[in-house]
Amino acid sequence: MTDTAAPPTLDDVARLARVSTATVSRCINSPDRVAASTRARVETAIKTLGYTPNFAARFMAAKRTFTIGAIIPTMENAIFARGLQAFQEELHQRGYTLLVSSSAYKAEAEEEQIRTLVARGADGLLLIGHDRDPQIYDYLAQQHVPVLVAWSYSETARVPSIGFDNRAAMRSLAERMIALGHKRIAMISGISEQNDRARLRIEGVKDAMAAHGLDPERLAPVELPYDVHSGAAAFVDLMSHSPRPSLVLCGNDVLAVGALRGAHQLGLKVPEDVSITGFDDIELAQVVTPELTTVHVPHREMGRKAAQELVGMVEEKRQGVSEKLETTIMERSSVSILRDQSE
Amino acid sequence: MTDTAAPPTLDDVARLARVSTATVSRCINSPDRVAASTRARVETAIKTLGYTPNFAARFMAAKRTFTIGAIIPTMENAIFARGLQAFQEELHQRGYTLLVSSSAYKAEAEEEQIRTLVARGADGLLLIGHDRDPQIYDYLAQQHVPVLVAWSYSETARVPSIGFDNRAAMRSLAERMIALGHKRIAMISGISEQNDRARLRIEGVKDAMAAHGLDPERLAPVELPYDVHSGAAAFVDLMSHSPRPSLVLCGNDVLAVGALRGAHQLGLKVPEDVSITGFDDIELAQVVTPELTTVHVPHREMGRKAAQELVGMVEEKRQGVSEKLETTIMERSSVSILRDQSE
């Protein structure tokens, strides 16, 4: 589109200054918000090319803040950390700054944080999962703030999502465990109310049980906050039941690490005495002994793609396109084989 | 101050509605930003008491956004998670919403995020550690945005801090290790440039060595990003040195968990073959095998007090008061005793 004869464009300035076009526009619109060293580089490029800021008029009319908001359920245990880090890196490359809020898994707190981020001028929002009061989506539509969901994928939801199929992923893991001979299955889940990830993972286990002649009603998942202490306590309790489960499926890696601690407290060996699995494949899964068999979620890919899609929605004023990402089962050392795997 | 005969105050409304006074003022100033259920409760209280919004005029003049910004170096590994969670809970009780940004330990990113949070109207900022370009403090002073530092304590710094003495804390740990008989001491540190916590922890180890007749110049700390992978690689490298260290002090728990993994890779037993310590006492320190000897940082107390102080600075337009919090050594299972402890 540009050649040396044509007047220099914003793109030319950005290329010469080695910054994004968004950063160039920020230098012009709100220089106060750009680091001095970056501003100097952009100013040099503008002078070198003889770029006239008048060309930027259309860009300025966009009135963007170059701020994206994300609300995650928790900052603890790094469940969302890696995906969010990739989300932020990709946003940064496109000239956007990320502001994050953590709702502590509370719907009321999330609603307040959504309103705050909108009031503070966020150009777009990333939310985790689809389960929330429909009025929130009404509000965001009224405010013309694009919203994208991650960590969950739904074809039918009102807003687009870059995520994965929590139900199918957990079903795959449970089926693999059943194929290894596990029939006495227990589950320690996150709290499923207003948490589609937790709810769908329970459904996934039930799907697998039903498909293999086990009664899904016997699963009776325990629902607890996603923390190590809860996982340990729930595990100790489960082990007092008779007959004892041979396998405890956990709703995420944090609960599974708690279950490992519970086993340690009881003097039970994992996986010899009982098998334990997680979900997420965060770093925690590999620092514990034994390393956890879990479901690997492509956190970095999800974060990166979510940023690309959300910025596209903001800049091109278009509907977002959902994408389902693949998960994989990571078989490590926390599960025992109870019988010949051929069936 | 109030009795039944006097006209109802904002405090009375807040008490009856079971919300903070800040929430009542938000219901009056920007009802759009308050959850519907909360608004309904406040409206009922206003009607019940016959409170007239005119009384709120002075409150409205404050022009606050009830938004506090925090910039942390990383969201990974939950290093800052617990303290930040307590910070947020305390802010929430006082009617403030927290927006967080993560700089990935990059000074340029932090500067941009500070400018963004100020541009988005943050009433006050929490920053981690004191090391940064003095121009940033000039900028924040010009903008009249109160700033408080946490995770570090300094009597001489330009802005107040609610933190701990990183140098003295690490010195105590190192002295305890020397008392246990460790003389061949190595250190895996975070990157100390523009990170006073990392820098002061190195100094603390050197202080302890010098005080006990060991040459501090022989420490030669390795500086690496705070991640498990870096810690493991650095540990493997250190173990190839001759003579091999009997103790590897790590700049934080994440590096120490990496060192444990490195030991596992080399087939070395901890603490029989080599001792390893961390710093922070995040949850990670207790989920690994063996559990880490580390420095306990009062994360929740720090977060809570930082919120109280920062809100005080915002609401009372006063200078902040610094406070030094105590750390404690947590002796667990990752350190061996090399000789009789009496000296």
Side-chain angles (χ1 to χ4, degrees), chain A residues 32 88 100 102 115 120, chain B residues 32 88 98 100 102 115 120:
Chain A
D32 214 41
Q88 169 162 341
V100 181
S102 153
R115 288 173 189 275
R120 300 291 108 230
Chain B
D32 214 39
Q88 169 162 342
L98 174 65
V100 181
S102 152
R115 287 172 190 276
R120 300 291 108 232

Side-chain angles (χ1 to χ4, degrees), chain A residues 123-323:
Chain A
D123 289 331
L125 286 188
L126 182 78
L127 301 177
I128 308 300
H130 288 97
D131 282 8
R132 56 183 56 78
D133 189 335
Q135 289 185 13
I136 295 175
Y137 296 118
D138 295 341
Y139 167 76
L140 288 167
Q142 279 161 18
Q143 300 285 328
H144 304 290
V145 176
V147 56
L148 181 74
V149 159
W151 267 265
S152 198
Y153 170 80
S154 163
E155 281 174 14
T156 54
R158 194 160 149 191
V159 297
S161 46
I162 306 284
F164 52 95
D165 186 332
N166 283 275
R167 183 171 185 159
M170 190 55 124
R171 176 181 174 149
S172 292
L173 177 68
E175 291 199 320
R176 176 70 188 139
M177 296 301 108
I178 293 169
L180 293 177
H182 291 280
K183 285 180 183 167
R184 297 194 315 280
I185 300 174
M187 182 171 189
I188 304 175
S189 167
I191 294 165
S192 62
E193 195 193 341
Q194 294 202 290
N195 182 338
D196 52 3
R197 289 90 63 212
R199 185 167 45 76
L200 292 166
R201 290 175 200 175
I202 293 172
E203 292 307 312
V205 176
K206 290 185 174 175
D207 291 346
M209 291 174 78
H212 292 82
L214 303 173
D215 179 7
E217 292 313 307
R218 293 188 54 197
L219 181 64
V222 191
E223 298 195 11
L224 294 161
Y226 287 121
D227 64 60
V228 171
H229 181 78
S230 296
F235 181 88
V236 168
D237 184 58
L238 280 173
M239 287 302 115
S240 70
H241 294 195
S242 179
R244 232 159 59 177
S246 71
L247 166 70
V248 178
L249 292 161
C250 297
N252 75 3
D253 291 342
V254 177
L255 289 174
V257 167
L260 282 180
R261 290 196 80 177
H264 188 72
Q265 285 164 27
L266 294 175
L268 293 175
K269 282 194 175 167
V270 179
E272 293 83 348
D273 298 326
V274 58
S275 295
I276 293 172
T277 62
F279 196 110
D280 280 340
D281 198 22
I282 57 174
E283 196 154 50
L284 203 56
Q286 282 188 274
V287 304
V288 290
T289 312
E291 295 186 9
L292 283 177
T293 290
T294 189
V295 174
H296 177 76
V297 170
H299 288 104
R300 291 197 60 84
E301 180 190 7
M302 185 164 58
R304 203 171 56 242
K305 288 188 166 167
Q308 290 163 357
E309 192 57 26
L310 187 53
V311 168
M313 291 163 70
V314 167
E315 300 197 340
E316 297 158 27
K317 298 191 189 302
R318 61 170 172 78
Q319 298 293 311
V321 179
S322 294
E323 183 175 349

Side-chain angles (χ1 to χ4, degrees), chain B residues 19 27 30 74 78 112-113 116 118 123 134 159-160 189 252 273 291:
Chain B
V19 298
C27 285
S30 44
T74 180
E112 183 174 302
Q113 290 162 353
T116 296
V118 170
D123 289 332
V159 298
S189 168
N252 75 2
D273 299 324
E291 295 186 10

